């Protein structure tokens, strides 16, 4: 059965990434840090995004 992606999970990942990128910086933040902060698993992050770079683009897309 295919997994249903949830908007709340995606937004939690993006919100956590934004906070961590601001608090630290992009290179000092790991996907594990983002997952822990968002309260999701690493495999769940990969269900929504292919890489940390893709998360960065998604975080800053509204400003670009």
């Amino acid at each position: 059965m295919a997994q249903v992606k949830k908007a709340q999970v995606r937004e939690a990942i993006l919100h956590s990434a934004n906070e961590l990128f601001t608090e630290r910086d992009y290179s000092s933040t790991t996907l594990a840090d983002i997952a822990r902060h968002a309260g999701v698993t690493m495999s769940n992050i990969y269900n929504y995004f292919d890489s940390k770079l893709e998360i960065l683009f998604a975080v800053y897309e509204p400003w670009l």
Side-chain angles (χ1 to χ4, degrees):
M1 183 163 96
Q3 180 173 350
V4 177
K5 293 184 180 178
K6 298 180 179 107
Q8 299 120 316
V9 174
R10 186 178 192 280
E11 288 305 313
I13 294 168
L14 293 176
H15 178 74
S16 295
N18 186 36
E19 284 186 1
L20 293 172
F21 292 158
T22 302
E23 180 181 305
R24 304 171 186 184
D25 60 32
Y26 174 78
S27 61
S28 297
T29 302
T30 66
L31 284 175
D33 294 333
I34 295 169
R36 192 172 23 261
H37 192 270
V40 300
T41 62
M42 283 287 293
S43 60
N44 210 358
I45 285 191
Y46 283 112
N47 286 326
Y48 292 86
F49 301 98
D50 291 331
S51 67
K52 185 170 74 166
L53 185 59
E54 188 176 330
I55 294 172
L56 178 71
F57 287 147
V59 166
Y60 291 108
E61 183 178 33
W63 292 288
L64 297 177

